[in-house]
Amino acid sequence: MEDNILNPKIVANEIVKEEEDFRHLNNPADGIKPITKKYLGVPTHVDKIGNKFYFTDGDAKVEIVVVNIEIIRVRLAPHGVFLPDFSYAVPELKHKHVPVELIENDTEFIVSTGKVNCHIRKADFFISFSDSNNVVTSSDAKAMHWEENTKFGGYYVFSTKECHADENFFGLGDKPTELNLRGKRLTNWNTDAYSFGWNQDPLYRSIPFYISVNEGIAHGIFFDNTFKAYFDFGSEDKTKTSFWADGGELQYYYIHGPHMMDVVKSYHILTGTHPMPPIWALGYHQCRWSYYPEAKLRAVAKGFRANKIPCDALYLDIDYMDGYRCFTWNRKYFPEPKKMIQELAADGFKTVVIIDPGIRVDDNYPVFKEGKQNNYFCRRSDDYFMEGHVWPGRCQFPDFTNPEVREWWGGLFDELVEMGVAGVWNDMNEPAVFGSGTFPDDVRHQYDGYRGSHRKAHNVYGMQMVRATYEGLRNIRKNKRPFTITRAGYSGLQRYASVWTGDNVASWEHLKLGNIQCQRLSMSGIPFCGTDIGGFSGEPDGELFTRWIQAGAFSPFMRAHSAGDTKEREPWSFGEPYTTINRKFIELRYRLLPYLYSTFWEHHRYGFPILRPVVMQEQHVLKNHFRQDEFTYGDKILICPVLEPGQKSRMVYLPHGNWYNFWTQEVVTGGEEVNVPTPLETIPVFIKAGSVIPEYPVMQYTGEFAIEEVKLNVYYSDYEANSFFFEDHGESFAYEQDIYSEKKFVVNGDERSLHIQQSMEGLYTPRYDNYHFNVIGLPFTPSKITVDSKEVTDFSVSDEKVLEFKFSKTFKTIQIHK
Ligand code: MIG
């Protein structure tokens, strides 16, 4: 397959030739020297050191590491010498000591954990994996291979596996294409992609992790290689899946399923989960390039409160700075930033500021001076500084792969934090450079002591920048949770930041694309994601904007943003009926905040994504491999955004089980598509039967007033179902010391009764006393309610048959009888 890599590819609807550095993979037909690839020979020797197994063909060496019973890592050293075991994605390989067997027979060696078997075939060094039922889930179609890189040293490294007729592929981060990656070839190389188009590749992030589903069984491959890397999912040859990179090691993790969810959870064991965000960060955010001067920003703030549209955060884009110099203020536009930020805070608005990596070359600018004195800026191979033009003009760039630079950078936030800045938005960190796009390959990086050229550091540069930001904020603010957002990143970035999908366009196509991108990011280990609501460039009309707000209300990260040359873009900018509908959905976001927060906890603690495409619920149904509009938000709420103009109704697939239409409370049986009306006022929202959905009162911003009681919406079901409800202080890291409350509800009913049980873990006690129960869908008229064996006499049943009563939040068991 690699023999034909000079294929033209589609970029922004234009045909362009592959870049120069693809030429190593050139086609002999082009008249350039054919490639001399080397393949592993015959495995002849075995060594075992702890949980590591070594096989060699006499020269090359292969290492098989058993990480735990579900994860096995494979590494290749073409000439027998492995690189130091260092990864930004996997900060610590959490080995579990599990019993491992090495079995040898006539044809193969087998490293077995009981759950996963890794087979090394004696004839040709092909590696395959099977499960405990001896079902082969992944197998080499060629032995691992490589080609020497005569220019930079090291190797181009390749792995080619079998691709089966109905095998489908998911993951890889933010690729703007169909959710199912079957038939596609994609590249990982962080790229600033202004107004990107459908199928444009690569974009801002590199997440070399994919999930395969074949005959109902899922496995994952995490190719932990930061160089420019490529994935081919049966595109060139429909019987083969390949991944390869321009350098580094052929190193990948095989992650056992059998469910996609198991794979994603295991991927999080390797790369970590997102820490709990401050709860305000789950509210609505308003951004624009740019709100300035101060009077403009204050007018926007006022607009929210006057229109009674909830909002927690306002953003300052690059114009707040003095000549785009990071960590400075334009005092003409913002004469008293501290006072302004504090007054906004008093009105419930957090201020988030943008920071770019480019530092203006200017000896009168302290940040530049410090960086220069301390040798913090990146240099070319011959020691010249890496210079490039970005917003401030001629710039140099900190080497964020140097821990000392990260610490310095983190400390620079001191003053902004002191002024009250609550969050930091990291932009341009692909890194983006005007004209040339990014740094040249020869730029050197310290790489935490493991040194490398930009070829190796490019894809992690942005992640290390936002890491510096995150760690800096965490140090300065002591025990307060930082809020950061990044455009670029690599696997593991979720430990430091949320992301937005970059410079999208105000079009229906982009609304659709953003919906797919967020689902894909979620299953690729990046839970806290969102799009620029409304579209960054171009003009949405009221309908498109409202449909985007409706979808965005169910994005983990909810922020409207727009380029400066567009018309005003606040939720009230389009007049009626749009303002009212936008308000209703932003209010819904706030009502469901405790649910979203609980879902975030499920991510943080257990590694579940927040958005879950339907294929993750029912991977055994082949048709679901091609669904990409509907998804669940957590595991209780199914959403299907409206993605077409003028749509009066649409088909929505509901996974098996019973679902309540959120708007009408009518019950629908899943397992098939249903037609759902989609007037402008609503989008399809369904709640899984048996759920307990906590609800807060609508506030104009989080913490506006003390909550007096929490509504618990209980959806009757005749099967047992569990729900989580997580609460804590919302701002500190006390949850790491068990200061939180994780409640679990179990709901179960029959034709005559409904039982609700509550259990609790953690040391946090919320201030409110009571729950206000809203029991929906009871198939009978309730006559008796007992809570912890006390009878509740004060209850009512509405016309909609919703049973309401109140009881102490400490209840253990409720029985509702006919
Ligand atoms: O070269 O800071 O994606 O969100 O508003 C453009 C200005 C730089 C790109 C970001 C966008 C931001 C804009 N930035």
Side-chain angles (χ1 to χ4, degrees), residues 354-407:
I354 198 168
I355 289 286
D356 287 357
I359 296 299
R360 188 184 160 90
V361 175
D362 171 358
D363 281 317
N364 297 316
Y365 168 36
V367 177
F368 177 72
K369 266 184 7 202
E370 267 179 53
K372 183 177 167 182
Q373 269 159 21
N374 295 306
N375 241 319
Y376 288 159
F377 297 119
C378 294
R379 290 171 184 258
R380 307 288 302 270
S381 55
D382 292 330
D383 230 29
Y384 301 110
F385 281 105
M386 160 58 214
E387 293 200 338
H389 281 257
V390 258
W391 291 104
R394 188 156 71 95
C395 284
Q396 293 185 7
F397 301 82
D399 182 8
F400 295 109
T401 69
N402 179 341
E404 204 184 312
V405 175
R406 287 199 298 271
E407 207 177 318

Side-chain angles (χ1 to χ4, degrees), residues 389-506:
H389 281 257
V390 258
W391 291 104
R394 188 156 71 95
C395 284
Q396 293 185 7
F397 301 82
D399 182 8
F400 295 109
T401 69
N402 179 341
E404 204 184 312
V405 175
R406 287 199 298 271
E407 207 177 318
W408 166 65
W409 188 261
L412 295 174
F413 290 96
D414 223 349
E415 207 179 315
L416 289 172
V417 169
E418 199 268 325
M419 285 178 170
V421 164
V424 178
W425 170 23
N426 286 224
D427 190 21
M428 304 287 280
N429 54 351
E430 291 70 30
V433 177
F434 293 161
S436 60
T438 190
F439 297 179
D441 280 347
D442 69 280
V443 168
R444 286 145 42 190
H445 293 271
Q446 200 264 6
Y447 216 94
D448 278 69
Y450 297 95
R451 297 168 302 273
S453 73
H454 196 61
R455 296 183 341 118
K456 171 166 150 185
H458 176 82
N459 283 338
V460 297
Y461 185 85
M463 170 202 197
Q464 295 310 306
M465 175 185 176
V466 78
R467 172 185 180 182
T469 309
Y470 179 87
E471 288 171 350
L473 293 177
R474 191 168 169 166
N475 285 341
I476 298 165
R477 291 155 39 107
K478 300 291 177 299
N479 200 25
K480 267 189 165 180
R481 300 175 201 168
F483 171 68
T484 47
I485 160 169
T486 185
R487 195 168 71 175
Y490 180 73
S491 289
L493 80 88
Q494 70 273 11
R495 300 194 300 274
Y496 315 113
S498 63
V499 306
W500 90 106
T501 57
D503 296 339
N504 62 357
V505 182

